[in-house]
Amino acid sequence: LGIYLILYGINSITNFLSEVIPPSSKNKFKRSINVQLPIILTAFIPKKLIGLINEMLETDEDLSKFESIKKNKKSDLEVLIHLAPNGSAAMGHVEVSFKGKVYSYGNYDRHSRSLFDAIGDGVILIADKEKYIKYCVEKKNRYIVEFGISLTDKEKKIVEERIETLINNNTVDYYCDMQLAEMGKIKMEEFHDMSSEIYKQASGKFKKITSGKYKKFFVLKNNCVMVAQYILSSVGKEVLAINGLISPGAYYEYLNKRFNMKNTNIISRKIYSKKNI
């Protein structure tokens, strides 16, 4: 506990220094580690956010006090954090969007799932961002918090290379049940599993990981945060999991803290809901 508090204190001091040091000098501190809050606290952040959003919507209050843009420019990369009252996103879900596509890691092969869907084959989803958000909000009854990030040309190239590596190295094409039916490999019927619905409604494609650390999805270790951690760590701070687990709540806490600081590249925050979709 003592070591953790020392690290957290040092992290807070470096965040303060990045605010007061002139931009020309602060780039020296860009590649660093961010110490997260204890998992017992971050695990409940998604639930608290749902309560806050519902409260604003029930009082006919718009979401403008939560939504904000720090700089008058379009973001180059977005981190999407899903919030849901129940189901697979009840504890939050994290994805990355780049150039109009959403990249998500999860157990999208429903036939490989076990232990109440906590374990399964690791699969990467690639979907059309606009259609996918519309599907998640309207069909899955979710809120989505989006943080927009500004990147340099060099950082954009790094992100693009990371994504290409992620989806093309040690992966094979995975076909959901609806695709298999269209290919004549199984009987055609009404498919209501999430993978088939994403394929149909958001032009979803899937890549199954065949080897390596993330071959198997496990909600308490190799979870959805993997994609965000892998991509974002290539252009800035890394979220450090003291206990080996990084939760969606921890990523929200990190991004929200960086958004509220002046001298960061987190430039926007917004909410997608049925009210504004």
Side-chain angles (χ1 to χ4, degrees), residues 187-236:
K187 182 181 177 181
M188 178 61 76
E189 56 183 79
E190 288 288 331
F191 296 105
H192 299 291
D193 61 287
M194 189 172 183
S195 297
S196 293
E197 289 183 346
I198 293 173
Y199 164 70
K200 182 179 180 180
Q201 300 187 35
S203 306
K205 297 179 181 179
F206 304 90
K207 290 281 189 175
K208 180 173 285 192
I209 299 174
T210 57
S211 63
K213 181 179 178 181
Y214 299 107
K215 180 181 177 181
K216 281 293 181 181
F217 173 92
F218 180 39
V219 70
L220 294 180
K221 182 65 175 178
N222 296 338
N223 57 24
C224 60
V225 180
M226 184 276 288
V227 167
Q229 177 79 337
Y230 177 77
I231 295 174
L232 292 182
S233 64
S234 68
V235 296

Side-chain angles (χ1 to χ4, degrees), residues 257-273:
K257 181 169 65 177
R258 300 290 293 173
F259 173 74
N260 287 319
M261 296 168 64
K262 292 184 294 184
N263 298 322
T264 70
N265 59 348
I266 315 293
I267 61 172
S268 65
R269 181 183 65 190
K270 69 177 294 183
I271 296 177
Y272 293 98
S273 70

Side-chain angles (χ1 to χ4, degrees), residues 32-253:
S32 56
I33 296 294
N34 181 75
V35 181
Q36 69 172 64
L37 289 171
I39 189 66
I40 192 65
L41 298 180
T42 60
F44 295 103
I45 287 177
K47 289 289 186 182
K48 285 195 55 131
L49 279 172
I50 289 177
L52 172 65
I53 296 168
N54 282 334
E55 185 179 330
M56 287 190 285
L57 293 174
E58 285 174 5
T59 57
D60 291 327
E61 182 179 349
D62 62 32
L63 301 172
S64 60
K65 73 177 184 180
F66 185 87
E67 297 181 358
S68 181
I69 299 175
K70 287 184 352 185
K71 297 178 182 178
N72 189 23
K73 61 180 295 189
K74 193 177 184 297
S75 60
D76 301 302
L77 178 148
E78 298 82 39
V79 178
L80 308 176
I81 299 177
H82 292 232
L83 309 171
N86 49 52
S88 59
M91 298 302 288
H93 179 68
V94 180
E95 300 163 335
V96 169
S97 171
F98 185 66
K99 293 186 175 180
K101 295 290 184 182
V102 170
Y103 300 90
S104 175
Y105 172 77
N107 55 346
Y108 290 100
D109 179 0
R110 67 182 181 128
H111 302 292
S112 72
R113 296 173 187 168
S114 60
L115 196 64
F116 306 103
D117 296 345
I119 298 175
D121 290 347
V123 178
I124 299 165
L125 161 69
I126 305 107
D128 178 88
K129 178 188 175 184
E130 187 175 338
K131 294 178 181 177
Y132 177 70
I133 289 178
K134 183 178 176 66
Y135 162 75
C136 290
V137 171
E138 293 186 343
K139 301 295 184 182
K140 302 299 289 184
N141 196 32
R142 296 180 181 180
Y143 299 118
I144 297 179
V145 180
E146 175 187 281
F147 289 94
I149 302 175
S150 174
L151 303 175
T152 64
D153 290 339
K154 182 179 179 180
E155 288 171 334
K156 291 177 193 175
K157 186 176 180 180
I158 293 172
V159 168
E160 198 161 7
E161 290 172 352
R162 284 269 175 141
I163 290 174
E164 285 297 314
T165 300
L166 183 71
I167 64 177
N168 293 322
N169 286 16
N170 301 318
T171 63
V172 294
D173 291 332
Y174 167 73
Y175 302 104
C176 63
D177 288 352
M178 181 170 286
Q179 287 175 286
L180 292 174
E182 290 176 349
M183 296 162 65
K185 295 188 175 182
I186 62 174
K187 182 181 177 181
M188 178 61 76
E189 56 183 79
E190 288 288 331
F191 296 105
H192 299 291
D193 61 287
M194 189 172 183
S195 297
S196 293
E197 289 183 346
I198 293 173
Y199 164 70
K200 182 179 180 180
Q201 300 187 35
S203 306
K205 297 179 181 179
F206 304 90
K207 290 281 189 175
K208 180 173 285 192
I209 299 174
T210 57
S211 63
K213 181 179 178 181
Y214 299 107
K215 180 181 177 181
K216 281 293 181 181
F217 173 92
F218 180 39
V219 70
L220 294 180
K221 182 65 175 178
N222 296 338
N223 57 24
C224 60
V225 180
M226 184 276 288
V227 167
Q229 177 79 337
Y230 177 77
I231 295 174
L232 292 182
S233 64
S234 68
V235 296
K237 285 201 172 190
E238 295 185 49
V239 176
L240 175 64
I242 299 296
N243 57 2
L245 171 63
I246 306 174
S247 69
Y251 244 90
Y252 172 83
E253 189 269 339

